[in-house]
Amino acid sequence: MHTHNPHGFLSAAEIPLPRLYLYMAGVFFIAALVWVYNLMNYSVFKIHWLMAALAFTKSMSLVFHSINYYFINTKGHPIEGWAIMYYITHLLKGALLFITLALIGTGWAFVKYILSDKEKKIFMIVIPLQVLANVAYIIIESTEEGSSEYYVWKEILFLVDLICCGAILFPVVWSIRHLQEASSTDGKAAMNLEKLKLFRHYYVMIVCYIYFTRIIAILLKFTMPFQWQWCYEFLVEVSTLIFFVLTGYKFRPASNNPYLQLPQDEDDVENDEVVTESGALEGISKVKKTSNGRDRQKESTL
């Protein structure tokens, strides 16, 4: 139940949420417009447009979330039409997020254009699980906190969300392995090592994003005073924005992006020294260029 206060029906912890979601929607919308403007200036892959669709959907989802909270605050209950629009955009955003992350993780468009059978299975697992996660989320939103049904669906949502997060890491690991093998047999070793370095960075980015939004932010929620609990939502939205911006920057369709261009002359490509360590934070890489740029050398330490 929402306790009544002088400002409306929202609790003290929820009062800033309508404004927060609206401001963040504006920031995501501006980021999406900047991204589309960049796409217009370069030759791009289909996945770049998918990333644009994700940013716009995220922005729309936040707008409807803000409207939903506004009506809860003024009338004491959500308006059904606006609530449905929020749930639809939230579902679309969730599906698009995991599809986009998994496609980037498989190296689709950046490394190869065909998905293997085991990569297709990831999508067959993740998409239905995302639908289940969103059903669980809608039930949680529309059920009284404290009921047995509420806690069952909350546990289902948490479990399904973790499975989805784990599932999208597999394609990145497979891409890293594929590029490691290619760099030792392929003639384009230096270019493959550049891409390998990118996918290692991307793997660490996803792990950090999942760890922060799913674990650290929740711990902060439990340790913060009640009236500051809206900061949890703020931290989640800001970390999502940072993750989107970093992913966009890493995979940007720029002519000077080393990951999206073919070298003109194999001898002019800078060579990497790759130090491989075990664990999630593997791949401390540095670029080493010789004095004349042609006497390339490669050292790899296992």
Side-chain angles (χ1 to χ4, degrees):
M1 285 289 292
H2 295 289
T3 54
H4 194 72
N5 62 62
H7 303 283
F9 287 89
L10 290 178
S11 65
E14 294 169 324
I15 290 167
L17 291 180
R19 271 191 208 158
L20 168 66
Y21 290 137
L22 198 60
Y23 293 153
M24 290 308 296
V27 174
F28 275 101
F29 188 75
I30 291 164
L33 286 178
V34 170
W35 179 249
V36 169
Y37 175 76
N38 277 323
L39 297 190
M40 306 297 278
N41 295 324
Y42 299 100
S43 58
V44 297
F45 299 121
K46 284 177 188 171
I47 198 162
H48 287 123
W49 290 111
L50 194 65
M51 289 157 87
L54 170 61
F56 281 118
T57 309
K58 172 70 178 167
S59 175
M60 290 305 296
S61 171
L62 285 169
V63 167
F64 291 126
H65 206 175
S66 174
I67 293 168
N68 213 23
Y69 266 103
Y70 171 77
F71 283 117
I72 290 169
N73 190 38
T74 53
K75 296 183 183 295
H77 60 85
I79 303 294
E80 197 173 329
W82 291 112
I84 289 167
M85 288 303 292
Y86 165 60
Y87 293 140
I88 289 169
T89 50
H90 183 78
L91 193 149
L92 266 175
K93 182 264 298 178
L96 269 175
L97 175 65
F98 281 94
I99 289 167
T100 306
L101 294 185
L103 279 174
I104 295 172
T106 60
W108 182 72
F110 299 110
V111 178
K112 59 185 186 293
Y113 293 93
I114 298 162
L115 296 176
S116 67
D117 286 340
K118 67 178 179 179
E119 285 166 350
K120 285 175 187 170
K121 280 173 189 164
I122 289 288
F123 292 95
M124 287 165 68
I125 293 166
V126 166
I127 295 168
L129 282 177
Q130 268 303 294
V131 173
L132 177 61
N134 280 280
V135 168
Y137 179 78
I138 291 164
I139 290 169
I140 288 166
E141 286 283 296
S142 55
T143 308
E144 281 296 321
E145 191 170 343
S147 65
S148 57
E149 191 183 7
Y150 176 89
Y151 289 111
V152 168
W153 281 103
K154 192 147 191 166
E155 282 170 15
I156 289 170
L157 175 63
F158 184 73
L159 183 66
V160 167
D161 192 48
L162 278 182
I163 293 168
C164 286
C165 291
I168 58 166
L169 287 174
F170 282 106
V172 192
V173 173
W174 293 334
S175 289
I176 288 169
R177 201 172 294 161
H178 167 76
L179 286 164
Q180 274 176 329
E181 288 165 6
S183 65
S184 59
T185 57
D186 201 332
K188 301 183 183 73
M191 190 175 66
N192 279 319
L193 284 167
E194 278 286 353
K195 287 181 177 176
L196 179 61
K197 187 167 67 172
L198 169 74
F199 278 88
R200 281 184 175 147
H201 290 170
Y202 183 61
Y203 177 84
V204 173
M205 275 165 54
I206 292 179
V207 170
C208 291
Y209 173 66
I210 291 167
Y211 187 70
F212 187 83
T213 55
R214 303 303 191 274
I215 298 165
I216 294 179
I218 292 168
L219 289 174
L220 286 172
K221 187 178 182 177
F222 286 119
T223 54
M224 278 176 179
F226 179 72
Q227 69 271 24
W228 291 99
Q229 289 206 350
W230 61 271
C231 292
Y232 158 74
E233 297 292 342
F234 175 72
L235 288 170
V236 168
E237 295 304 333
V238 168
S239 60
T240 302
L241 178 68
I242 292 167
F243 179 69
F244 278 25
V245 169
L246 284 175
T247 303
Y249 179 76
K250 289 277 186 186
F251 294 93
R252 68 198 182 281
S255 55
N256 62 344
N257 188 342
Y259 313 117
L260 307 182
Q261 64 179 349
L262 291 170
Q264 299 302 310
D265 181 356
E266 189 71 15
D267 288 337
D268 289 336
V269 179
E270 293 182 337
N271 198 41
D272 276 4
E273 278 187 349
V274 179
V275 182
T276 307
E277 293 181 341
S278 58
L281 293 167
E282 66 173 358
I284 302 158
S285 306
K286 61 179 180 179
V287 176
K288 182 177 182 179
K289 196 170 185 181
T290 50
S291 55
N292 62 6
R294 292 190 179 271
D295 298 319
R296 297 179 295 136
Q297 69 179 82
K298 177 183 175 185
E299 296 170 14
S300 70
T301 310
L302 293 176

